[in-house]
Every structure is written in C-alpha cells, then in structure tokens.
Amino acid sequence: MSPTDPVVPPFAGDCHAIILAGGSGTRLWPLSRNLLPKQLLVLGGTSTLLQQTVARVLEVFPPDHVWVVTNEEHVFEVRKQVAVLDKVLEGQVLAEPLGRNTLPAIMLGLDRVVEANPKALAAVFPSDHLVSDGGAWARDLARATELAAQKRFVTFGVRPDKPETGYGYIALGEDLGENAFAVRGFVEKPDFLTADRFLREGTHLWNSGMFLFSAKHFLTQVARCEPVLWNWWMGRDEAPLVQGYRDIPDISVDYGVVEKIDNIAVVKAGFEWDDLGSWEAMYRLGDKDADGNVVRGDVLAMNCANCLLISEGGKLAVSGLKDTIMVQTRDATLACPKDRVQTVRDVVAALKAQGSQLVESHTTVYRPWGNYTVLEEGPQYKIKRIQVTPGARLSSQMHHHRSEHWVVVDGTAEVEVDNEPRILVENQSVDIPKASQHRLANPGKVPLNIIEIQSGPYLEEDDIVRFDDVYGRVRK
C-alpha cells in the first residue's frame, strides 16, 4: 500500500469503532473536573476533544458502526456533543454505571459489535487525544485491519521525540513490512534514563492507547486471561451487562489482556499524536507570543517568558514569571513550575482527601435540561442561576433538608408545586417548601433563566428524591 492509495470508508470487511469517553482527566485540573473531564472541553479550536475524535472516526467508519462508551454522569453531555456531528450517534452512546477502567468499557462496546456481526473487527480509540494528518491515520488503520485479519492484536506506536516518562512504551520486534512490527514487549512509564536510552536507540515507540483486533479473537483471550470478566460477559443474555458492572474487576486492557498474549503487532504511526495529558503539553502545542507565552482568556502578562497563562474567571494579572503554569477558573487557581506539572495529580488527590467539591465540578454544572451556576454559597444557603433550554423539563422531585425560592429573570417558567401548576414570567417568584414535590419546565421558545435561593442545613445535590424524569434518572 502506497501513501497515495485512497482509503474508502468503510474498510474491507466489517470493522466497528469503540470510542472510550470516560475518565476524569485530573492532570488538567482545574479546567478538567470529574463532571466535565478534558474530552468534553474545548482546549483548542472550536470543538471538544471528543468531537474532534468522532469527526475523524466518521471519515472512515459509518455512524452505525461507531460506539461511544462513557460514564453515566456524562452520558447526556456526550450525546449532545456527538449529535452535532451526526444524529445517528445519539443512539450509539453507551453508559457505564461507574468507571471500571478500559477493559470492561471495551467489552461493553463489544457487546454491540458482536450483536451486529460476531466476526467483526473492532478498533478502540481514546476520546481525548490529538491526531493530525487524518489521511495518514486512515492509511495506518487500513494496514492494521490487514494484520488483524491474520488474528493479530494490533496497537499503534508513535515515534518518541523526547525522553517522556509519562507514557507507556512498545518494544519493537520483527519487521513485518509496510511500517508494521511484531511487539517484543511493553514498558510502563520508565524512568528518565531508560526513556532517554529508548529515544537514542530507536527500539521503542510510545503506546498511543489505540488498538484494532478481531472481536472474536479478543474475547477468546479475555476468557483465558480474565475468567471473572468472561463469566460476567457470558451472562449478558440473562441480564444486561450494566447490571453486574459494580461487581467486576477494575482493570485496564493493557494489564488484563494485552500484556498476557502473543501475536501482537504494532503499526508505526504516520500521523502526529499527542495525548494532551498535562499542562506542559498544552503549552507545547499552544500558539506562543514573542516572549514564548501561551495566553488564553483575560490575562495581563508583564515581563513574563515561556509561561502558560489561562483565565476563565476574571482578570489574571501576572508579573515577572518564567517557565510557569498558571490556570484560573471562577473557583480555583493552579500555579506550578512548568517542569512540575506531573504533581497536579497529587494536588487533586489532596483536595479529594479534604472532601473538596473542587475536584467534582465547576461552578457551572451541565445537565440534560440545561445548566446551573453556583453564584454564592455559605452556611445554610446557596444561590444558583439556573438555565433551562426551550422545551426541557427537570425531574419531579423533593428535598428533605432544604427549601427553595425561585425568581424568573427572563423567559417563561412552568412550575408545579404539590400538584398545583402555575406559569411564571419575568420578575415573578415562587416558594418551594421543604419536602414539597415540585417540578420546573420551559414551555417557551427561548432559554429560561431563574435565580434559585436555597436554605437549609444540608444543600448538596444528593438531597434529591426523584419521582419522575424524562431523562431516565429515577433510581429503581
């Protein structure tokens, strides 16, 4: 196959794509949070990392051969984002009840793949990586399908350009021709000296986390390597896989299967790749000014050099900084030397140990009906701005520990309190007593904005009892 050969979708044979869109993206805190991880953010350009991945996949795969696996908490936002690219994809999003790492997520996608065709090939792609040169990417996929048809498990390796200690490495074996090699082994996140030796010797590639394989052959290896997961998989005719999800092992595809099997091949990537796994990567890939700074948002930088400066929450004024990362949101600020960005994970772990909500969400939280922004909070009170999209409605619900007061800023609100409906317009308000069953909807053609004032001894989001919900969030 020559570099000029066209790749006509779909590939020869039947190949499906599984896009993994779970994960919390802690290394890009405070922009990335558990409820809005990096794959759902616009970190460059005009579309999110997820949308960039899906758009690239759709150039090769038909939409009914594309499956997106995400966390239950993200499913509505993921569906909204992929529907912009193709409405068919709304029905192709699968929700994990909770994160169980990459191997169970892949098997959740394979459930749909083998249902469509038990002899299909499957390609697995992370949703949060940057890939440029889509033509080379498609040609590399075509080469991988040839190898997968030979019952090889195929991964994609990237030529290192620096001694990176945050990536896994693939050791190259026999040359299989046409940019492909047998895999001699895997090395997980080596120390600097080892990574530097790999770079100088040219014997290893970065592991991109992308795979292609025969679904049937892969599942045979799961049965051999991970019998607990295999038993769970084999019970899917009696009960949906998600019902047993909480009881299965949390295990990666690399550790669970790939590192335990033979006959693995790697295709050396002809495309450029980056996993955007740190703020250093964001700096490296960003557009730099005359002083080497990457600046985004409302930033005043004086006498700064080689810095990444981002503000999404008010004016960020900095002076005299060099080789520094500073990222500001409405509720948090991160500052660290550029060569210490790997410690951001430790920062997130420390915040989590303190029980901080800064790990979970931004001040603006997206829901299937719209979003809310926390404007202010203190002991026994919280003030939110709630926006409801036209035609959307919240669940019918009640709270054990708080009362609420709603004021309509603009738009039309359809409100129901203890089975009494009413319509509210601009500057009108309603009280929601504690333990009252209530509901809010937007029957209008424009967004509805209200101010909600909560008061009570406990104001967290888990004090919601849902009775009815058009988005299927009522717990049985």
Side-chain angles (χ1 to χ4, degrees):
M1 181 185 306
S2 73
T4 58
D5 287 339
V7 177
V8 180
F11 290 121
D14 194 4
C15 191
H16 290 242
I18 300 172
I19 298 174
L20 303 180
S24 57
T26 56
R27 288 180 292 172
L28 290 184
W29 185 89
L31 284 192
S32 179
R33 314 279 177 101
N34 284 346
L35 292 184
L36 197 67
K38 69 173 181 175
Q39 63 267 22
L40 303 180
L41 298 174
V42 178
L43 296 176
T46 58
S47 57
T48 66
L49 292 177
L50 170 64
Q51 289 173 322
Q52 293 177 43
T53 301
V54 172
R56 182 171 62 253
V57 167
L58 288 177
E59 292 178 358
V60 175
F61 297 83
D64 63 347
H65 280 46
V66 178
W67 305 94
V68 183
V69 183
T70 189
N71 194 282
E72 193 174 73
E73 292 181 325
H74 305 145
V75 67
F76 296 105
E77 179 65 20
V78 168
R79 284 176 179 159
K80 183 171 70 175
Q81 290 196 12
V82 300
V84 173
L85 302 169
D86 195 305
K87 293 292 284 185
V88 171
L89 293 175
E90 277 189 295
Q92 305 287 105
V93 178
L94 310 176
E96 299 177 278
L98 73 167
R100 275 292 181 260
N101 219 314
T102 52
L103 181 52
I106 290 170
M107 295 179 72
L108 198 62
L110 287 176
D111 180 36
R112 301 300 179 90
V113 173
V114 299
E115 183 180 20
N117 181 2
K119 297 181 179 180
L121 300 179
V124 177
F125 307 114
S127 62
D128 55 357
H129 293 181
L130 285 180
V131 171
S132 58
D133 193 348
W137 178 79
R139 287 191 294 273
D140 287 346
L141 285 182
R143 176 65 176 126
T145 62
E146 296 170 354
L147 296 165
Q150 302 167 15
K151 294 187 178 180
R152 288 185 182 270
F153 183 95
V154 187
T155 185
F156 297 83
V158 178
R159 185 193 301 273
D161 58 11
K162 63 180 184 298
E164 174 62 60
T165 60
Y167 296 162
Y169 285 71
I170 301 168
L172 300 180
E174 176 191 358
D175 189 338
L176 302 176
E178 297 184 68
N179 252 9
F181 297 82
V183 171
R184 187 163 45 86
F186 295 89
V187 180
E188 180 62 22
K189 297 180 180 178
D191 59 34
F192 180 84
L193 291 178
T194 303
D196 186 57
R197 177 168 57 83
F198 290 166
L199 178 65
R200 287 184 283 103
E201 294 177 351
T203 55
H204 291 70
L205 301 175
W206 287 335
N207 189 348
S208 71
M210 295 187 285
F211 309 103
L212 198 148
F213 48 80
S214 158
K216 180 179 179 180
H217 177 60
F218 179 81
L219 290 168
T220 300
Q221 299 305 315
V222 173
R224 182 178 68 86
C225 300
E226 292 295 331
V228 174
L229 284 178
W230 178 249
N231 290 335
W232 162 71
W233 165 266
M234 290 299 291
R236 69 192 188 284
D237 290 335
E238 285 72 42
L241 288 175
V242 292
Q243 288 190 14
Y245 220 73
R246 295 179 182 277
D247 301 321
I248 60 176
D250 181 322
I251 190 167
S252 71
V253 65
D254 300 84
Y255 182 78
V257 175
V258 180
E259 295 176 7
K260 300 176 182 177
I261 63 177
D262 299 318
N263 209 24
I264 307 175
V266 57
V267 174
K268 184 185 291 187
F271 51 86
E272 294 185 9
W273 170 92
D274 200 291
D275 81 338
L276 268 186
S278 70
W279 287 119
E280 184 277 332
M282 288 288 292
Y283 171 79
R284 176 165 36 84
L285 297 171
D287 294 329
K288 299 171 181 63
D289 63 18
D291 296 312
N293 300 309
V294 175
V295 178
R296 195 173 85 187
D298 190 3
V299 176
L300 172 63
M302 301 175 61
N303 301 315
C304 295
N306 306 320
C307 294
L308 174 67
L309 306 170
I310 296 177
S311 176
E312 292 195 352
K315 174 70 77 174
L316 174 61
V318 292
S319 177
L321 295 182
K322 297 185 187 303
D323 300 310
T324 299
I325 304 292
M326 186 163 285
V327 182
Q328 175 178 273
T329 64
R330 286 192 60 201
D331 58 347
T333 301
L334 169 74
C336 71
K338 205 163 56 183
D339 61 358
R340 297 291 304 278
V341 293
Q342 298 298 338
T343 63
V344 175
R345 277 184 167 177
D346 301 328
V347 171
V348 172
L351 289 169
K352 187 177 293 186
Q354 295 173 3
S356 173
Q357 288 299 306
L358 293 173
V359 176
E360 292 299 314
S361 63
H362 289 271
T363 54
T364 297
V365 176
Y366 294 90
R367 292 290 188 240
W369 42 261
N371 64 78
Y372 69 81
T373 300
V374 178
L375 303 177
E376 187 178 337
E377 60 184 317
Q380 300 204 64
Y381 81 93
K382 184 181 292 186
I383 303 173
K384 292 180 177 179
R385 181 179 66 245
I386 296 176
Q387 183 174 92
V388 185
T389 54
R393 58 196 287 118
L394 282 67
S395 59
S396 177
Q397 58 186 253
M398 59 87 73
H399 311 291
H400 288 294
H401 303 289
R402 72 176 186 245
S403 60
E404 297 174 344
H405 180 74
W406 295 345
V407 181
V408 176
V409 177
D410 53 50
T412 301
E414 184 178 85
V415 178
E416 186 177 295
V417 182
D418 288 332
N419 297 316
E420 293 186 10
R422 68 190 77 180
I423 296 292
L424 301 179
V425 295
E426 184 177 332
N427 290 328
Q428 293 184 327
S429 62
V430 63
D431 288 312
I432 313 294
K434 182 172 61 176
S436 295
Q437 186 172 341
H438 58 280
R439 190 166 209 161
L440 174 66
N442 179 2
K445 302 293 186 184
V446 298
L448 163 67
N449 288 284
I450 73 170
I451 298 298
E452 175 181 272
I453 303 172
Q454 303 176 358
S455 60
Y458 186 78
L459 305 174
E460 299 305 324
E461 290 301 301
D462 56 359
D463 182 25
I464 297 178
V465 179
R466 291 190 173 95
F467 301 99
D468 176 64
D469 182 61
V470 297
Y471 308 105
R473 296 174 297 170
V474 175
R475 296 287 185 186
K476 295 181 181 180

